[in-house]
Amino acid sequence: MSKASNIACDVKDLGLADTGKLRLEWADQFMPVLTTIRKQFEKKQPLKGIRVSACLHVTTETGNLMITLKAGGADVVICASNPLSTQDDVAACLVRDHGIPVYAVKGEDNDSYYSHLNSAIEHRPNLTMDDGADLVTLAHTKRTDMAKDIFAGTEETTTGVIRLRSMSRQGILKYPIVAVNDANTKHFFDNRYGTGQSTLDGILRATNVLIAGLAVVVCGYGWCGKGLALRSRGLGANVIVTEVDPTRALEAAMEGYRVMSLAEAAPIGNLFITVTGNKNVLRKEHFEKMQDGTLLANSGHFNAEIDIPALEKLATGKRTTRSFVEEYTLRDGRKLNLLGEGRLINLVSAEGHPASVMDMSFANQALAAEYLVENASKLENKVYPVPEAIDQDIAAKKLDAMGIHIDKLTAEQEKYMVSWSEGT
Ligand code: ADE
């Protein structure tokens, strides 16, 4: 039955909803923690009457989060957090079957992207849920008129947390934010195993290259870089890591990766993947030294990590050779292949992180929203971690769903752990 007739939305085609429904159900089987929370939310209604505007990648996993928030009583709308990451069938199903307004179309241009953000903020949210902090930024800049009712927000990703901490340091943040990214049950798993697998999935779907024997240059050795280096090595790549942080570089070296500067890696690498969260990591001086046929991909939040304008300037020609592959021909005839327009390749040409890892990330989102409804009035306008009890509870629930049992400290051990008197 269609509930779509009176739901405001901008989606590609409501006719895609049947496929979206099946894919949402498929993902849901791998999200046992979120499912448990949804059942609790249905009974407790912790978000009753709370208007939530979300700006997240519109995927099957996010769809299941939106359904969970709605089950908890929230009045939810969602827009895309990236112009290329939307799964149009999921968007259609959320509108048609769940009555959730969605503003997201895969391939939307910049103007539509911002008009969708505006539509989401015009919901007059009480709570914002961001992946990259674009919605919070809008509420603090062009749409301060919509900020009045916002009591708190959550942030999904490293890049967003960095932006929000900068706002907090400058004293301009108007409401408290919970940094979901920083929960252990988020970044240890989503950033590491999720990015590690889904980035390679995106690169493989776009190119079908053999990773074995390739010199894969992982730019950045944060949690995403660690996962990516690990999985690339698993597929037989010759992994090179580049870093700016000495401790991380050392860690990569001791993990057995080759560590060098990007200037040194540029002529050696076959596939470069940026996961730094910074800008212009791969730039003119590197493109000039790269081998013919080099592949360039980004899995960081923004499409700023590869200096595409510099690549455009160096090129004498450009053609699309496959979906999500642009071949740039340079003046000396070398060809460099840019994947997914330099946007996060895991969501552009694949489906993002698998559901079982997003289960924990989005369990954090749902429980952080509940926590904020209860506690935001006691918080300052700063960035806060997910409370440890929530983080631990999610880990315990995930273990339980996986059928894994762990030990408990004995009374004697508990006492020992808080004492100092017993020594050699
Ligand atoms: N970020 C990375 N993978 C994702 C997914 N599957 N859904 C939502 N956001 C994501």
Side-chain angles (χ1 to χ4, degrees):
M1 193 189 60
S2 169
K3 295 183 193 159
S5 48
N6 53 359
I7 305 296
C9 66
D10 186 14
V11 299
K12 185 166 183 212
D13 177 5
L14 286 173
L16 298 170
D18 285 341
T19 320
K21 182 171 188 291
L22 288 171
R23 292 185 57 250
L24 279 157
E25 282 170 18
W26 175 263
D28 208 38
Q29 331 163 45
F30 302 102
M31 305 183 86
V33 182
L34 192 66
T35 310
T36 308
I37 293 169
R38 191 180 309 141
K39 286 186 188 137
Q40 291 166 354
F41 272 20
E42 274 162 9
K43 281 203 204 113
K44 265 176 75 186
Q45 294 289 292
L47 309 178
K48 194 159 180 56
I50 303 292
R51 289 190 303 277
V52 178
S53 294
C55 175
L56 301 170
H57 301 295
V58 181
T59 63
T60 47
E61 294 74 27
T62 305
N64 286 324
L65 171 64
M66 293 300 107
I67 294 166
T68 304
L69 300 178
K70 193 168 177 189
D75 173 5
V76 193
V77 305
I78 179 165
C79 67
S81 61
N82 185 288
L84 282 182
S85 62
T86 299
Q87 298 173 4
D88 291 315
D89 53 355
V90 171
C93 178
L94 289 177
V95 176
R96 189 195 70 178
D97 298 342
H98 300 279
I100 296 175
V102 181
Y103 305 95
V105 178
K106 185 167 179 117
E108 62 197 24
D109 61 17
N110 230 35
D111 287 349
S112 305
Y113 179 77
Y114 280 101
S115 115
H116 287 161
L117 268 172
N118 263 295
S119 302
I121 203 103
E122 276 163 11
H123 187 50
R124 294 190 168 276
N126 306 121
L127 191 94
T128 56
M129 199 169 265
D130 255 297
D131 186 334
D134 279 350
L135 206 53
V136 182
T137 303
L138 190 61
H140 282 72
T141 51
K142 294 192 180 114
R143 297 308 304 266
T144 47
D145 57 321
M146 291 293 150
K148 286 190 289 291
D149 298 337
I150 306 178
F151 63 74
T154 64
E155 172 52 54
E156 170 75 8
T157 202
T158 318
T159 296
V161 173
I162 290 169
R163 291 177 85 185
L164 291 159
R165 287 229 161 88
S166 157
M167 290 169 87
S168 171
R169 269 197 309 276
Q170 288 177 24
I172 58 162
L173 196 57
K174 290 188 177 157
Y175 53 88
I177 301 278
V178 167
V180 164
N181 179 72
D182 296 357
N184 289 337
T185 46
K186 200 282 184 179
H187 65 271
F188 283 164
F189 302 92
D190 169 317
N191 300 27
R192 179 166 38 173
Y193 307 116
T195 306
Q197 178 169 314
S198 65
T199 300
L200 290 169
D201 183 15
I203 290 167
L204 293 176
R205 290 198 211 188
T207 63
N208 197 29
V209 292
L210 182 72
I211 301 289
L214 278 193
V216 172
V217 182
V218 175
C219 308
Y221 200 66
W223 288 107
C224 295
K226 288 188 210 315
L228 195 48
L230 187 71
R231 293 298 176 245
S232 302
R233 177 154 71 186
L235 284 175
N238 176 353
V239 179
I240 296 169
V241 170
T242 69
E243 245 305 336
V244 291
D245 178 298
T247 314
R248 285 182 176 178
L250 196 56
E251 190 184 0
M254 296 216 179
E255 275 300 318
Y257 301 116
R258 284 202 284 165
V259 179
M260 60 184 78
S261 69
L262 252 173
E264 291 169 285
I268 304 172
N270 304 117
L271 163 61
F272 290 76
I273 313 166
T274 51
V275 272
T276 68
N278 214 319
K279 68 190 285 197
N280 296 339
V281 177
L282 293 177
R283 48 187 186 264
K284 181 170 181 274
E285 71 218 57
H286 307 122
F287 303 140
E288 280 170 340
K289 288 198 209 158
M290 286 177 182
Q291 300 178 55
D292 184 32
T294 296
L295 305 169
L296 308 170
N298 167 51
S299 211
H301 184 77
F302 286 119
N303 61 336
E305 304 211 15
I306 302 175
D307 187 354
I308 301 172
L311 187 57
E312 298 266 352
K313 258 201 203 150
L314 284 178
T316 55
K318 169 177 144 180
R319 61 179 184 147
T320 304
T321 49
R322 296 166 61 96
S323 302
F324 307 119
V325 182
E326 304 284 345
E327 178 196 78
Y328 287 81
T329 304
L330 308 190
R331 271 184 281 282
D332 58 8
R334 274 176 308 127
K335 294 181 193 322
L336 303 185
N337 299 291
L338 176 67
L339 310 187
E341 300 176 17
R343 297 193 188 272
L344 358 84
I345 195 66
N346 57 339
L347 282 142
V348 171
S349 54
E351 295 168 70
H353 303 346
S356 62
V357 86
M358 294 312 293
D359 186 25
M360 290 185 280
S361 311
F362 286 164
N364 274 291
Q365 285 283 9
L367 296 181
E370 179 181 29
Y371 167 79
L372 283 166
V373 169
E374 285 166 12
N375 295 286
S377 59
K378 294 176 234 154
L379 302 177
E380 292 175 55
N381 295 343
K382 290 187 177 160
V383 178
Y384 287 88
V386 172
E388 203 185 332
I390 292 182
D391 206 357
Q392 292 276 32
D393 179 48
I394 291 170
K397 283 195 166 80
K398 189 72 174 174
L399 280 173
D400 192 39
M402 292 166 85
I404 296 173
H405 307 285
I406 60 170
D407 294 320
K408 275 200 171 71
L409 294 178
T410 62
E412 183 195 29
Q413 287 172 329
E414 281 202 19
K415 201 167 154 215
Y416 183 71
M417 291 310 283
V418 292
S419 69
W420 55 270
S421 54
E422 279 184 60
T424 315

